Amino acid sequence: MNTSELRTEITALKEKENAIILAHYYQLDEVQEIADYTGDSFGLSEQAASTEADVIVFCGVKFMAESACILSPQKTVLLPEQEAGCPLADEISPEDLVALKKNYPEAAVVCYVNSSAEIKALSDICCTSSNAIDVVNSLDEKQVLFVPDRNLASYVAGYTDKEIIAWDGCCPTHDAMTAGDVHRIRRTHPDCVVTVHPECRPEVTALADHVGSTAGIIKYARETPAKKIVIGTEKGTLYQLKKENPGKEFYLLSDKLVCPTMKVISLEKLRNSLKNKMHRVTVVESVIEKANLALNRMLEVTRQGSGKLG
Ligand code: SF4
């Protein structure tokens, strides 16, 4: 079956099943193209919470599909490739977090949404890279345990007077960027601007012209008068950037900016998942209840907040 036939079949199945396809900005171009909504973790979690569809096909990684289950427990949530995980989310286990909390009994626990449902259930509030500063500053506690990404934690620490205790995890894709990559690209394109994700190392964010979530990077690219833009985030974002800004040139900070697990979903797997209701993601009820509190507290802060990363 060719691509156009696959697309036709997916569209028909979607109508039949009253399904919505959500895709992360890091997915393959053809998957983003057929999605009803493309976004970053925050935008996707808002869509998952508000959709009227019966079935959510989540083209992303497992923690994202779990968040959709937590926010819409009555819906069927499908992940077209069950092996699509996130190495950052795997960096902390529930046992690790329980032990950490014992050491800091007065601290609030903020977990980046790139974490398992169990970690969310053990946290006071979630955050995404677009609302992390607002979330941390909304807390009454002076001390904050921030899990699992040390780079995002370090970035947030620059915008708060709270004491941030960071878990030593990282996203291997973003953490691979170095100051040398920024210097090299500026030498090659002296008239460029550089915008990077806060999952990059502090030495990289310090050298960038702009730091933002993936949605923040897309907004910055839309609004900057610069014509040459270097992005320090996953390669898939180029699809949206080029579509929105035909008059601008985009470059990756490094060709290492590819997340392998974000590239495992194909149109064929998407069709199979929808057709056979394959790879349903579920979360146990007791975890849903607690994780839902943490996610909804985040959504509430964002509804009221300002000063988002971006
Ligand atoms: Fe996880 Fe990093 Fe891949 Fe995002 S880009 S899914 S944080 S490994």
Side-chain angles (χ1 to χ4, degrees):
M1 191 177 272
N2 63 34
T3 304
S4 130
E5 287 167 338
L6 266 175
R7 291 175 56 85
T8 307
E9 191 178 353
I10 290 168
T11 306
L13 283 165
K14 213 176 62 168
E15 269 188 34
K16 180 171 163 241
E17 303 293 345
N18 187 27
I20 185 172
I21 299 173
L22 305 182
H24 194 275
Y25 286 132
Y26 300 170
Q27 290 288 295
L28 293 172
D29 292 2
E30 58 268 32
V31 173
Q32 293 194 49
E33 205 178 346
I34 202 163
D36 296 294
Y37 179 84
T38 306
D40 65 0
S41 302
F42 178 71
L44 293 169
S45 63
E46 274 194 318
Q47 287 293 319
S50 63
T51 181
E52 301 277 309
D54 296 319
V55 177
I56 299 172
V57 188
F58 213 113
C59 300
V61 292
K62 190 173 171 209
F63 76 79
M64 297 175 179
E66 282 183 343
S67 292
C69 279
I70 294 162
L71 290 164
S72 295
Q74 71 288 3
K75 312 225 184 263
T76 299
V77 178
L78 305 172
L79 182 66
E81 167 55 65
Q82 61 185 343
E83 298 302 321
C86 165
L88 169 59
D90 294 340
E91 294 241 9
I92 187 167
S93 69
E95 294 73 28
D96 290 331
L97 184 50
V98 168
L100 187 66
K101 284 170 72 166
K102 276 198 187 127
N103 290 338
Y104 297 95
E106 306 294 322
V109 182
V110 175
C111 84
Y112 188 27
V113 284
N114 299 31
S115 55
S116 69
E118 288 80 8
I119 294 296
K120 291 182 177 79
L122 286 166
S123 301
D124 295 305
I125 187 165
C126 295
C127 73
T128 67
S129 51
S130 57
N131 60 23
I133 295 169
D134 279 349
V135 164
V136 167
N137 284 328
S138 75
L139 299 166
D140 293 331
E141 291 85 347
K142 294 266 175 279
Q143 209 175 39
V144 173
L145 299 179
F146 194 103
V147 301
D149 190 275
R150 62 170 183 255
N151 291 334
L152 180 59
S154 160
Y155 189 75
V156 170
Y159 293 88
T160 183
D161 56 7
K162 314 267 182 205
E163 182 194 355
I164 306 281
I165 297 136
W167 186 255
D168 192 18
C170 68
C171 159
T173 304
H174 288 91
D175 191 64
M177 299 304 95
T178 63
D181 290 319
V182 182
H183 294 311
R184 202 170 307 117
I185 204 98
R186 286 203 194 275
R187 276 198 301 274
T188 314
H189 302 288
D191 50 345
C192 73
V193 290
V194 178
T195 169
V196 304
H197 196 281
E199 284 173 19
C200 293
R201 296 178 190 184
E203 67 185 56
V204 173
T205 54
L207 290 171
D209 299 296
H210 170 260
V211 180
S213 64
T214 307
I217 286 174
I218 291 171
K219 182 169 180 277
Y220 174 78
R222 196 184 300 135
E223 292 172 357
T224 178
K227 294 286 180 220
K228 278 190 184 179
I229 301 158
V230 172
I231 63 156
T233 193
E234 213 276 344
K235 186 182 178 185
T237 313
L238 290 172
Y239 170 78
Q240 191 68 24
L241 289 167
K242 289 179 178 170
K243 195 167 111 180
E244 276 193 29
N245 306 280
K248 296 184 180 179
E249 289 173 34
F250 292 94
Y251 302 92
L252 273 184
L253 179 55
S254 154
D255 56 13
K256 288 177 280 185
L257 279 165
V258 178
C259 172
T261 57
M262 277 285 186
K263 307 300 185 204
V264 292
I265 294 175
S266 61
L267 284 184
E268 204 167 4
K269 286 181 184 170
L270 173 48
R271 186 271 315 271
N272 293 346
S273 175
L274 199 43
K275 189 171 180 181
N276 305 313
K277 298 269 177 68
M278 254 162 58
H279 311 315
R280 183 168 181 182
V281 176
T282 54
V283 178
V284 297
E285 220 168 286
S286 56
V287 171
I288 288 189
E289 216 171 286
K290 290 184 188 144
N292 199 5
L293 282 175
L295 275 169
N296 272 301
R297 276 188 77 189
M298 170 190 84
L299 292 174
E300 194 49 42
V301 168
T302 305
R303 277 177 208 122
Q304 296 165 356
S306 60
K308 287 195 279 181
L309 268 182

